[in-house]
Short mmCIF file of all heavy atoms in Angstrom, two decimals:
data_model
loop_
_atom_site.label_atom_id
_atom_site.label_comp_id
_atom_site.label_asym_id
_atom_site.label_seq_id
_atom_site.Cartn_x
_atom_site.Cartn_y
_atom_site.Cartn_z
N ARG A 94 102.94 59.78 78.68
CA ARG A 94 101.59 59.47 79.21
C ARG A 94 101.74 59.02 80.63
O ARG A 94 102.78 58.50 81.03
CB ARG A 94 100.89 58.37 78.37
CG ARG A 94 101.22 56.96 78.75
CD ARG A 94 102.61 56.53 78.30
NE ARG A 94 102.97 55.25 78.87
CZ ARG A 94 103.68 55.15 80.00
NH1 ARG A 94 104.13 56.18 80.68
NH2 ARG A 94 103.99 53.95 80.46
N PHE A 95 100.68 59.25 81.40
CA PHE A 95 100.61 58.68 82.75
C PHE A 95 99.51 57.64 82.69
O PHE A 95 98.36 57.95 82.41
CB PHE A 95 100.30 59.76 83.80
CG PHE A 95 100.01 59.16 85.14
CD1 PHE A 95 101.02 58.48 85.83
CD2 PHE A 95 98.75 59.30 85.73
CE1 PHE A 95 100.78 57.93 87.06
CE2 PHE A 95 98.48 58.73 86.98
CZ PHE A 95 99.50 58.04 87.63
N PRO A 96 99.87 56.33 82.95
CA PRO A 96 98.93 55.27 82.67
C PRO A 96 98.41 54.45 83.89
O PRO A 96 98.76 53.30 84.03
CB PRO A 96 99.76 54.35 81.79
CG PRO A 96 101.16 54.45 82.46
CD PRO A 96 101.23 55.84 83.10
N PRO A 97 97.66 55.08 84.73
CA PRO A 97 97.20 54.30 85.93
C PRO A 97 96.16 53.24 85.58
O PRO A 97 95.34 53.46 84.67
CB PRO A 97 96.54 55.39 86.82
CG PRO A 97 96.05 56.40 85.81
CD PRO A 97 97.07 56.41 84.73
N GLU A 98 96.17 52.19 86.36
CA GLU A 98 95.07 51.24 86.27
C GLU A 98 94.00 51.70 87.27
O GLU A 98 94.31 51.98 88.42
CB GLU A 98 95.59 49.86 86.70
CG GLU A 98 94.61 48.76 86.37
CD GLU A 98 95.07 47.35 86.81
OE1 GLU A 98 96.25 47.18 87.06
OE2 GLU A 98 94.16 46.49 86.87
N PRO A 99 92.75 51.88 86.84
CA PRO A 99 91.75 52.41 87.76
C PRO A 99 91.23 51.35 88.75
O PRO A 99 90.07 50.95 88.75
CB PRO A 99 90.66 52.88 86.84
CG PRO A 99 90.78 52.10 85.58
CD PRO A 99 92.22 51.69 85.46
N ASN A 100 92.15 50.88 89.58
CA ASN A 100 91.82 49.84 90.55
C ASN A 100 92.08 50.30 92.01
O ASN A 100 92.30 49.49 92.87
CB ASN A 100 92.56 48.54 90.26
CG ASN A 100 94.04 48.69 90.34
OD1 ASN A 100 94.59 49.78 90.44
ND2 ASN A 100 94.79 47.58 90.27
N GLY A 101 92.21 51.60 92.12
CA GLY A 101 92.46 52.14 93.50
C GLY A 101 92.74 53.62 93.36
O GLY A 101 92.72 54.17 92.25
N TYR A 102 92.96 54.26 94.50
CA TYR A 102 93.25 55.69 94.50
C TYR A 102 94.78 55.91 94.26
O TYR A 102 95.54 55.03 94.61
CB TYR A 102 92.84 56.33 95.84
CG TYR A 102 91.33 56.60 95.91
CD1 TYR A 102 90.43 55.56 95.83
CD2 TYR A 102 90.89 57.88 96.05
CE1 TYR A 102 89.09 55.83 95.87
CE2 TYR A 102 89.50 58.16 96.14
CZ TYR A 102 88.62 57.16 96.03
OH TYR A 102 87.27 57.36 96.10
N LEU A 103 95.10 57.03 93.73
CA LEU A 103 96.54 57.32 93.51
C LEU A 103 97.25 57.60 94.81
O LEU A 103 96.66 58.18 95.74
CB LEU A 103 96.70 58.54 92.58
CG LEU A 103 96.13 58.39 91.18
CD1 LEU A 103 96.46 59.69 90.37
CD2 LEU A 103 96.72 57.18 90.45
N HIS A 104 98.53 57.21 94.87
CA HIS A 104 99.31 57.53 96.06
C HIS A 104 100.53 58.37 95.70
O HIS A 104 100.73 58.76 94.51
CB HIS A 104 99.70 56.24 96.78
CG HIS A 104 100.38 55.19 95.90
ND1 HIS A 104 101.58 55.41 95.26
CD2 HIS A 104 100.05 53.91 95.57
CE1 HIS A 104 101.94 54.35 94.61
NE2 HIS A 104 101.02 53.44 94.77
N ILE A 105 101.33 58.69 96.69
CA ILE A 105 102.44 59.61 96.51
C ILE A 105 103.46 59.07 95.49
O ILE A 105 104.13 59.82 94.84
CB ILE A 105 103.07 59.94 97.88
CG1 ILE A 105 104.27 60.93 97.80
CG2 ILE A 105 103.55 58.68 98.63
CD1 ILE A 105 103.81 62.33 97.63
N GLY A 106 103.53 57.72 95.36
CA GLY A 106 104.40 57.13 94.34
C GLY A 106 103.89 57.47 92.90
O GLY A 106 104.69 57.86 92.04
N HIS A 107 102.58 57.45 92.76
CA HIS A 107 102.04 57.92 91.49
C HIS A 107 102.32 59.37 91.25
O HIS A 107 102.56 59.80 90.08
CB HIS A 107 100.53 57.65 91.44
CG HIS A 107 100.15 56.21 91.46
ND1 HIS A 107 99.47 55.68 92.54
CD2 HIS A 107 100.31 55.20 90.58
CE1 HIS A 107 99.25 54.39 92.29
NE2 HIS A 107 99.75 54.06 91.12
N ALA A 108 102.30 60.14 92.34
CA ALA A 108 102.54 61.58 92.18
C ALA A 108 103.97 61.80 91.58
O ALA A 108 104.17 62.67 90.75
CB ALA A 108 102.47 62.28 93.52
N LYS A 109 104.90 60.93 91.96
CA LYS A 109 106.23 61.07 91.42
C LYS A 109 106.18 60.83 89.88
O LYS A 109 106.80 61.57 89.11
CB LYS A 109 107.18 60.04 92.07
CG LYS A 109 108.56 60.02 91.42
CD LYS A 109 109.52 59.12 92.16
CE LYS A 109 110.86 59.14 91.36
NZ LYS A 109 111.92 58.41 92.05
N SER A 110 105.45 59.83 89.47
CA SER A 110 105.32 59.50 88.06
C SER A 110 104.57 60.59 87.32
O SER A 110 104.94 60.94 86.19
CB SER A 110 104.63 58.16 87.90
OG SER A 110 104.38 57.85 86.60
N ILE A 111 103.57 61.16 87.95
CA ILE A 111 102.78 62.27 87.34
C ILE A 111 103.70 63.45 87.13
O ILE A 111 103.75 64.06 86.05
CB ILE A 111 101.58 62.60 88.22
CG1 ILE A 111 100.58 61.47 88.25
CG2 ILE A 111 100.93 63.93 87.74
CD1 ILE A 111 99.49 61.60 89.30
N LEU A 113 106.86 63.54 86.90
CA LEU A 113 107.85 63.25 85.91
C LEU A 113 107.25 63.36 84.49
O LEU A 113 107.78 64.09 83.63
CB LEU A 113 108.43 61.87 86.12
CG LEU A 113 109.41 61.31 85.12
CD1 LEU A 113 110.59 62.23 84.96
CD2 LEU A 113 109.90 59.91 85.52
N ASN A 114 106.18 62.70 84.23
CA ASN A 114 105.57 62.68 82.89
C ASN A 114 105.05 64.02 82.47
O ASN A 114 105.33 64.47 81.34
CB ASN A 114 104.48 61.63 82.79
CG ASN A 114 105.03 60.23 82.62
OD1 ASN A 114 105.68 59.90 81.58
ND2 ASN A 114 104.89 59.39 83.59
N ARG A 128 96.15 58.21 80.51
CA ARG A 128 95.56 56.97 79.91
C ARG A 128 95.18 56.00 81.01
O ARG A 128 96.05 55.54 81.79
CB ARG A 128 96.52 56.29 78.97
CG ARG A 128 95.85 55.01 78.37
CD ARG A 128 96.77 54.04 77.78
NE ARG A 128 97.71 54.72 76.89
CZ ARG A 128 98.96 54.31 76.71
NH1 ARG A 128 99.39 53.21 77.32
NH2 ARG A 128 99.78 54.96 75.95
N ASP A 130 94.61 52.44 82.08
CA ASP A 130 95.00 51.13 81.63
C ASP A 130 93.96 50.16 82.16
O ASP A 130 94.16 49.41 83.10
CB ASP A 130 96.39 50.85 82.27
CG ASP A 130 97.21 49.98 81.37
OD1 ASP A 130 96.59 49.17 80.64
OD2 ASP A 130 98.46 50.06 81.49
N LYS A 136 88.90 44.25 88.65
CA LYS A 136 89.26 45.10 89.80
C LYS A 136 88.98 46.58 89.54
O LYS A 136 89.32 47.40 90.42
CB LYS A 136 90.76 44.91 90.08
CG LYS A 136 91.15 43.52 90.56
CD LYS A 136 92.58 43.48 91.00
CE LYS A 136 93.52 43.48 89.82
NZ LYS A 136 94.91 43.54 90.15
N ILE A 145 91.03 59.56 90.18
CA ILE A 145 92.36 59.76 89.57
C ILE A 145 92.40 61.09 88.77
O ILE A 145 93.36 61.86 88.85
CB ILE A 145 92.68 58.54 88.64
CG1 ILE A 145 93.01 57.33 89.54
CG2 ILE A 145 93.86 58.86 87.72
CD1 ILE A 145 93.09 56.00 88.80
N TYR A 274 98.44 43.08 80.03
CA TYR A 274 99.19 44.30 80.11
C TYR A 274 100.32 44.43 79.05
O TYR A 274 100.43 45.39 78.32
CB TYR A 274 99.85 44.45 81.50
CG TYR A 274 100.78 45.66 81.61
CD1 TYR A 274 100.34 46.87 81.98
CD2 TYR A 274 102.16 45.49 81.26
CE1 TYR A 274 101.20 47.99 82.04
CE2 TYR A 274 103.01 46.57 81.31
CZ TYR A 274 102.54 47.83 81.72
OH TYR A 274 103.37 48.88 81.76
N HIS A 278 99.95 47.40 76.42
CA HIS A 278 100.58 48.66 76.78
C HIS A 278 101.36 49.35 75.64
O HIS A 278 101.11 50.47 75.31
CB HIS A 278 101.48 48.50 78.01
CG HIS A 278 101.69 49.79 78.72
ND1 HIS A 278 100.81 50.28 79.70
CD2 HIS A 278 102.60 50.79 78.56
CE1 HIS A 278 101.21 51.48 80.08
NE2 HIS A 278 102.31 51.80 79.41
N SER A 290 107.81 56.19 76.81
CA SER A 290 106.89 55.44 77.65
C SER A 290 107.63 55.10 78.93
O SER A 290 108.41 54.18 79.03
CB SER A 290 106.49 54.15 76.91
OG SER A 290 105.63 53.37 77.68
N ILE A 291 107.39 55.93 79.94
CA ILE A 291 108.21 55.88 81.14
C ILE A 291 107.51 54.99 82.20
O ILE A 291 106.33 55.18 82.48
CB ILE A 291 108.44 57.31 81.66
CG1 ILE A 291 109.28 58.04 80.62
CG2 ILE A 291 109.22 57.29 83.01
CD1 ILE A 291 109.24 59.53 80.74
N CYS A 292 108.27 54.03 82.73
CA CYS A 292 107.67 53.14 83.73
C CYS A 292 108.68 52.80 84.78
O CYS A 292 109.85 53.20 84.70
CB CYS A 292 107.15 51.89 83.04
SG CYS A 292 108.42 51.04 82.18
N THR A 293 108.27 52.10 85.80
CA THR A 293 109.17 51.80 86.92
C THR A 293 110.04 50.58 86.60
O THR A 293 109.75 49.83 85.72
CB THR A 293 108.37 51.61 88.24
OG1 THR A 293 107.23 50.85 87.95
CG2 THR A 293 107.94 52.95 88.74
N LEU A 294 111.12 50.49 87.37
CA LEU A 294 112.21 49.52 87.08
C LEU A 294 111.81 48.06 86.89
O LEU A 294 112.43 47.33 86.14
CB LEU A 294 113.27 49.55 88.22
CG LEU A 294 114.27 50.65 88.17
CD1 LEU A 294 115.23 50.52 89.37
CD2 LEU A 294 115.05 50.64 86.87
N GLU A 295 110.74 47.65 87.57
CA GLU A 295 110.37 46.24 87.47
C GLU A 295 109.94 45.89 86.03
O GLU A 295 109.88 44.71 85.69
CB GLU A 295 109.29 45.86 88.50
CG GLU A 295 107.95 46.50 88.34
CD GLU A 295 107.85 47.82 89.08
OE1 GLU A 295 108.89 48.49 89.36
OE2 GLU A 295 106.70 48.25 89.47
N PHE A 296 109.72 46.88 85.20
CA PHE A 296 109.33 46.62 83.80
C PHE A 296 110.52 46.49 82.86
O PHE A 296 110.35 46.25 81.68
CB PHE A 296 108.35 47.62 83.29
CG PHE A 296 106.98 47.45 83.94
CD1 PHE A 296 106.59 48.26 85.01
CD2 PHE A 296 106.12 46.48 83.50
CE1 PHE A 296 105.36 48.06 85.62
CE2 PHE A 296 104.91 46.27 84.07
CZ PHE A 296 104.51 47.08 85.18
N PHE A 322 112.56 53.99 85.40
CA PHE A 322 113.19 54.75 86.50
C PHE A 322 112.79 54.06 87.84
O PHE A 322 111.89 53.23 87.86
CB PHE A 322 112.74 56.22 86.52
CG PHE A 322 111.33 56.39 86.90
CD1 PHE A 322 111.01 56.94 88.17
CD2 PHE A 322 110.28 56.06 86.05
CE1 PHE A 322 109.70 57.11 88.59
CE2 PHE A 322 108.95 56.23 86.45
CZ PHE A 322 108.65 56.76 87.72
N ALA A 323 113.50 54.45 88.91
CA ALA A 323 113.27 53.82 90.19
C ALA A 323 112.00 54.37 90.84
O ALA A 323 111.77 55.55 90.88
CB ALA A 323 114.41 54.10 91.12
N ARG A 324 111.12 53.41 91.30
CA ARG A 324 109.90 53.85 91.92
C ARG A 324 110.22 54.51 93.28
O ARG A 324 111.29 54.31 93.82
CB ARG A 324 108.96 52.68 92.10
CG ARG A 324 109.45 51.64 93.10
CD ARG A 324 108.62 50.36 93.04
NE ARG A 324 107.20 50.57 93.37
CZ ARG A 324 106.23 50.37 92.50
NH1 ARG A 324 106.44 49.93 91.31
NH2 ARG A 324 104.97 50.53 92.89
N LEU A 325 109.26 55.27 93.74
CA LEU A 325 109.40 55.90 95.06
C LEU A 325 108.98 54.95 96.15
O LEU A 325 107.90 54.36 96.09
CB LEU A 325 108.48 57.17 95.14
CG LEU A 325 108.28 57.73 96.50
CD1 LEU A 325 109.58 58.30 97.08
CD2 LEU A 325 107.23 58.82 96.48
N ASN A 326 109.86 54.72 97.13
CA ASN A 326 109.49 54.00 98.34
C ASN A 326 109.65 55.02 99.47
O ASN A 326 110.58 55.80 99.45
CB ASN A 326 110.42 52.81 98.58
CG ASN A 326 110.40 51.84 97.42
OD1 ASN A 326 109.33 51.32 97.06
ND2 ASN A 326 111.55 51.59 96.81
N LEU A 327 108.77 54.91 100.44
CA LEU A 327 108.78 55.91 101.52
C LEU A 327 108.77 55.16 102.85
O LEU A 327 108.07 54.10 102.98
CB LEU A 327 107.51 56.75 101.36
CG LEU A 327 107.47 58.18 101.85
CD1 LEU A 327 108.56 58.99 101.22
CD2 LEU A 327 106.11 58.80 101.51
N MET A 332 102.78 51.12 100.00
CA MET A 332 102.34 51.83 98.81
C MET A 332 101.64 50.96 97.84
O MET A 332 101.11 51.46 96.82
CB MET A 332 103.59 52.47 98.15
CG MET A 332 103.32 53.75 97.53
SD MET A 332 103.82 55.10 98.56
CE MET A 332 105.53 55.32 98.04
N SER A 333 101.61 49.65 98.09
CA SER A 333 100.96 48.83 97.08
C SER A 333 99.42 49.03 97.17
O SER A 333 98.85 49.12 98.28
CB SER A 333 101.30 47.38 97.24
OG SER A 333 100.19 46.59 97.51
N LYS A 334 98.77 49.13 96.04
CA LYS A 334 97.33 49.37 96.03
C LYS A 334 96.60 48.23 96.72
O LYS A 334 95.55 48.47 97.36
CB LYS A 334 96.84 49.54 94.61
CG LYS A 334 97.03 50.95 94.11
CD LYS A 334 96.26 51.18 92.80
CE LYS A 334 97.20 51.24 91.69
NZ LYS A 334 96.61 51.44 90.38
N ARG A 335 97.08 47.03 96.59
CA ARG A 335 96.43 45.88 97.21
C ARG A 335 96.41 46.10 98.74
O ARG A 335 95.41 45.91 99.39
CB ARG A 335 97.17 44.60 96.90
CG ARG A 335 96.60 43.34 97.54
CD ARG A 335 97.44 42.11 97.21
NE ARG A 335 98.79 42.12 97.75
CZ ARG A 335 99.10 41.93 99.03
NH1 ARG A 335 98.13 41.69 99.94
NH2 ARG A 335 100.33 41.94 99.43
N LYS A 336 97.53 46.50 99.29
CA LYS A 336 97.60 46.72 100.73
C LYS A 336 96.77 47.92 101.18
O LYS A 336 96.10 47.88 102.20
CB LYS A 336 99.05 46.90 101.18
CG LYS A 336 99.83 45.59 101.07
CD LYS A 336 101.30 45.73 101.51
CE LYS A 336 102.00 44.38 101.31
NZ LYS A 336 103.46 44.54 101.45
N LEU A 337 96.83 48.96 100.39
CA LEU A 337 96.04 50.15 100.75
C LEU A 337 94.53 49.82 100.73
O LEU A 337 93.77 50.23 101.60
CB LEU A 337 96.33 51.32 99.79
CG LEU A 337 97.77 51.85 99.86
CD1 LEU A 337 98.00 52.97 98.82
CD2 LEU A 337 98.10 52.40 101.26
N ILE A 377 113.48 64.69 95.28
CA ILE A 377 113.94 63.33 95.29
C ILE A 377 114.55 62.92 93.97
O ILE A 377 115.33 61.96 93.84
CB ILE A 377 112.83 62.31 95.67
CG1 ILE A 377 111.66 62.41 94.75
CG2 ILE A 377 112.42 62.53 97.09
CD1 ILE A 377 110.52 61.43 95.09
N GLU A 383 116.85 51.49 92.87
CA GLU A 383 115.85 51.51 93.95
C GLU A 383 116.41 52.16 95.18
O GLU A 383 117.55 51.99 95.56
CB GLU A 383 115.45 50.08 94.29
CG GLU A 383 114.50 49.44 93.34
CD GLU A 383 113.03 49.76 93.67
OE1 GLU A 383 112.68 49.89 94.85
OE2 GLU A 383 112.22 49.86 92.72
P1 LIG B 40 99.93 48.18 92.04
O1 LIG B 40 100.16 48.74 93.41
O2 LIG B 40 98.57 47.59 91.88
O3 LIG B 40 101.09 47.43 91.47
P2 LIG B 40 100.78 50.35 90.44
O4 LIG B 40 101.36 51.16 91.53
O5 LIG B 40 101.64 49.65 89.46
O6 LIG B 40 99.75 49.40 91.10
P3 LIG B 40 99.50 51.66 88.21
O7 LIG B 40 98.17 52.21 88.22
O8 LIG B 40 99.78 50.54 87.30
O9 LIG B 40 99.75 51.27 89.70
O10 LIG B 40 100.61 52.78 88.01
C1 LIG B 40 100.49 53.89 87.15
C2 LIG B 40 101.83 54.47 86.92
O11 LIG B 40 102.42 54.95 88.12
C3 LIG B 40 102.81 53.48 86.37
O12 LIG B 40 103.48 54.07 85.29
C4 LIG B 40 103.69 53.14 87.49
O13 LIG B 40 104.96 52.79 87.03
C5 LIG B 40 103.69 54.45 88.28
N1 LIG B 40 103.96 54.15 89.71
C6 LIG B 40 103.27 53.33 90.50
N2 LIG B 40 103.83 53.27 91.72
C7 LIG B 40 104.89 54.08 91.71
C8 LIG B 40 105.89 54.47 92.65
N3 LIG B 40 105.88 53.96 93.92
N4 LIG B 40 106.85 55.36 92.28
C9 LIG B 40 106.81 55.86 91.04
N5 LIG B 40 105.97 55.54 90.11
C10 LIG B 40 104.98 54.68 90.39
#
Side-chain angles (χ1 to χ4, degrees):
R94 87 285 169 266
F95 172 64
E98 191 182 343
N100 63 349
Y102 281 61
L103 296 183
H104 53 60
I105 182 80
H107 294 113
K109 174 175 177 174
S110 175
I111 293 168
L113 175 57
N114 280 295
R128 181 198 312 149
D130 210 332
K136 292 188 286 175
I145 289 170
Y274 173 90
H278 203 87
S290 179
I291 296 162
C292 58
T293 42
L294 279 181
E295 64 271 25
F296 288 99
F322 73 104
R324 69 191 297 117
L325 167 67
N326 302 303
L327 209 55
M332 215 98 91
S333 118
K334 277 192 253 180
R335 179 183 65 75
K336 290 179 182 168
L337 296 177
I377 58 180
E383 281 274 327

